[in-house]
């Protein structure tokens, strides 16, 4: 028998999860064998080892990846993360998920992802800029506005996107603003991008509540992770009338059955860098929000949080996945058995890439929209995607995750089939 650590390690292989989810969807839609072979692999995987001069004059060699899973529906799109645990397998899984995510919300992109094995907290600002610019140069043979458009991901932000865009522009000899999204507003970023993922999570949560006959003003919501996605989701769900009863970050969590004031929590985190120490709430563990008494759970921290063990203790009736891959396949089965309605990551957190798409469109046209316009268009796309996935789920009696996969794989397969095989 395997130990709990081995079970978690086995459950936690993202690439294994991604391929397994694809295989299940391919089987359900009766996808022809050739297309299964093509789509269950990534199209391109690029590894580079590149030197960076550190502040003390030493040269350090870093390893980075850029993977494109599919470009059948349009240029590849996906974030770049800087993290010590980045691996090629993880980047491949994330690239495949990006393909499905863009197809679920029906925006004209394929999927990509990139990463560098590094702990950016150990770098000075100068070292971070040099690492970013050199990595951008390495992957410049793959990326560009018509080919593959990076965006921020774990530990990368608007500043890093600005350095990447500037590096590509220096190579080109003119400003190529549409080469990267998630940029600062002054250099072609889009209004509404910062809130976009949390806003999309909220739109999906409200649509699912309506479907389940749950009233927002009596719904108790628990949120794991209080970064960009978690804090925006909590704020917008509170604005929609919900009571936020639990939140957490990597240092710990907070609980109050009567509700936590989200804007004050955001201010507390801004000042202290963490949620810990906020008055008028019971402290709890970082994973506490997963299993508290609530109606809606938003896992918005990191992957592999709802495993076979923790999923069995989930008390929410609705789970809306803000994070990428927060539920292992085994955790998924447990939630399904327990009748939990789950809005999967490739639908629930697609608001970010949708507004990235808006940013790219605005950059290509050099014509910028108001925040209201961005939010309206986002709402239209997210609500339509939710309705389409729900329809597949109801027609085929499938859980929402598999319905979303079927919808996405069918769209990508159809584009691949229509384009035909080259040569
Ligand atoms: P972030 O870095 O802004 O926030 C992450 C939050 O999770 C932080 O509050 C951190 O303290 C907390 N956290 C980390 N480990 C934790 C743990 N073990 N338990 C509890 N909390 C923990 O990141 P983000 O941009 O909000 O992204 C969160 C998730 O959403 C990631 O999985 C990311 O891939 C996914 N996502 C983000 C976007 C986006 O636009 N930001 C889009 C799609 C998906």
């Amino acid at each position: 028998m395997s130990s709990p650590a081995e079970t978690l390690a086995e459950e936690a292989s993202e690439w294994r999860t991604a391929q397994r989810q694809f295989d299940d969807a391919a089987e359900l839609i009766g996808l022809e064998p050739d297309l299964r072979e093509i789509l269950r692999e990534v199209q391109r995987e690029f590894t580079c080892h590149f030197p960076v001069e550190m502040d003390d004059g030493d040269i350090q060699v870093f390893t980075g990846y850029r993977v494109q899973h599919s470009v059948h529906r349009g240029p590849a799109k996906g974030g770049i993360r800087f993290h010590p645990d980045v691996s090629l397998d993880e980047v491949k899984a994330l690239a495949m998920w990006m393909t499905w995510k863009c197809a679920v919300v029906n925006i004209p992109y394929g999927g990509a992802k990139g990463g560098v094995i590094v702990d950016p907290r150990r770098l000075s600002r100068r070292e971070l800029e040099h690492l970013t610019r050199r990595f951008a140069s390495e992957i410049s043979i793959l990326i560009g506005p018509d080919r593959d458009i990076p965006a921020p991901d774990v530990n990368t932000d608007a500043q890093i996107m600005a350095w990447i865009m500037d590096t590509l522009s220096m190579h080109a000899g003119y400003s190529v603003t549409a080469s990267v999204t998630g940029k600062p507003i002054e250099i072609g970023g889009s209004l509404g991008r910062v809130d976009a993922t949390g806003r999309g999570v909220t739109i999906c949560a409200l649509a699912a509540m309506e479907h389940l006959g749950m009233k927002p003003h009596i719904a108790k919501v628990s949120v794991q992770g209080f970064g960009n996605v978690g804090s925006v989701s909590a704020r917008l769900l509170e604005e929609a009338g919900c009571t936020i009863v639990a939140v957490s970050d990597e240092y710990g969590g907070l609980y109050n059955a009567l509700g936590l004031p989200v804007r004050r929590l955001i201010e507390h985190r801004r000042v202290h860098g963490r949620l810990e120490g906020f008055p008028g709430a019971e402290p709890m563990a970082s994973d506490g929000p997963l299993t508290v008494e609530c109606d809606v759970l938003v896992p918005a921290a990191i992957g592999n949080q709802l495993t076979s063990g923790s999923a069995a203790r989930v008390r929410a009736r609705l789970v809306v996945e803000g994070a990428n891959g927060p539920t292992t396949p085994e955790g998924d089965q447990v939630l399904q058995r327990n009748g939990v309605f789950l809005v999967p990551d490739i639908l629930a957190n697609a608001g970010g890439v949708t507004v990235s798409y808006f940013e790219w469109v605005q950059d290509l046209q050099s014509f910028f929209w108001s925040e209201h316009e961005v939010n309206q268009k986002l709402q239209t796309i997210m609500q339509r995607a939710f309705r389409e996935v729900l329809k597949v789920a109801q027609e085929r009696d499938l859980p929402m995750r598999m319905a979303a996969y079927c919808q996405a794989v069918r769209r990508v397969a159809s584009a691949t089939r229509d384009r035909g095989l080259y040569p």
Side-chain angles (χ1 to χ4, degrees), residues 10-28 31 35-43 45 67 69 88-98 100 329 346 401-402 405 409:
E10 170 60 10
E11 285 188 26
S13 157
E14 275 106 341
W15 180 235
R16 182 191 70 102
T17 303
Q19 283 197 314
R20 196 163 130 182
Q21 287 163 337
F22 167 74
D23 289 340
D24 289 347
E27 189 63 31
L28 271 166
L31 192 64
L35 282 176
R36 285 190 206 200
E37 287 297 308
I38 295 170
L39 296 177
R40 82 187 300 280
E41 254 310 338
V42 299
Q43 183 173 343
E45 52 187 69
V67 171
H69 169 253
L88 182 58
D89 262 14
E90 181 196 51
V91 177
K92 283 168 66 174
L94 292 163
M96 186 191 258
W97 281 325
M98 283 306 295
W100 311 139
I346 57 168
R401 187 187 312 282
M402 210 19 80
Y405 269 87
V409 172

Side-chain angles (χ1 to χ4, degrees), residues 13 70 117 123 127 165 168 189 216 231 252 286 289 292 303 322-323 340 350-351 388 390 408 423:
S13 157
S70 160
I117 305 173
L123 301 182
E127 289 168 340
M165 189 276 274
L168 296 176
S231 65
S286 291
V292 292
V340 176
E388 287 174 348
L390 183 63

Side-chain angles (χ1 to χ4, degrees), residues 18-84:
Q19 283 197 314
R20 196 163 130 182
Q21 287 163 337
F22 167 74
D23 289 340
D24 289 347
E27 189 63 31
L28 271 166
I29 62 170
L31 192 64
E32 52 269 45
D34 294 352
L35 282 176
R36 285 190 206 200
E37 287 297 308
I38 295 170
L39 296 177
R40 82 187 300 280
E41 254 310 338
V42 299
Q43 183 173 343
R44 298 184 181 122
E45 52 187 69
F46 175 81
T47 303
C48 54
H49 308 283
F50 57 95
V52 177
E53 189 191 6
M54 309 309 278
D55 288 347
D56 62 7
D58 278 1
I59 304 294
Q60 210 170 310
V61 175
F62 293 88
T63 298
Y65 309 101
R66 185 71 186 171
V67 171
Q68 295 171 351
H69 169 253
S70 160
V71 291
H72 294 104
R73 285 171 41 88
K77 185 88 188 79
I80 289 177
R81 61 174 57 179
F82 289 171
H83 197 277

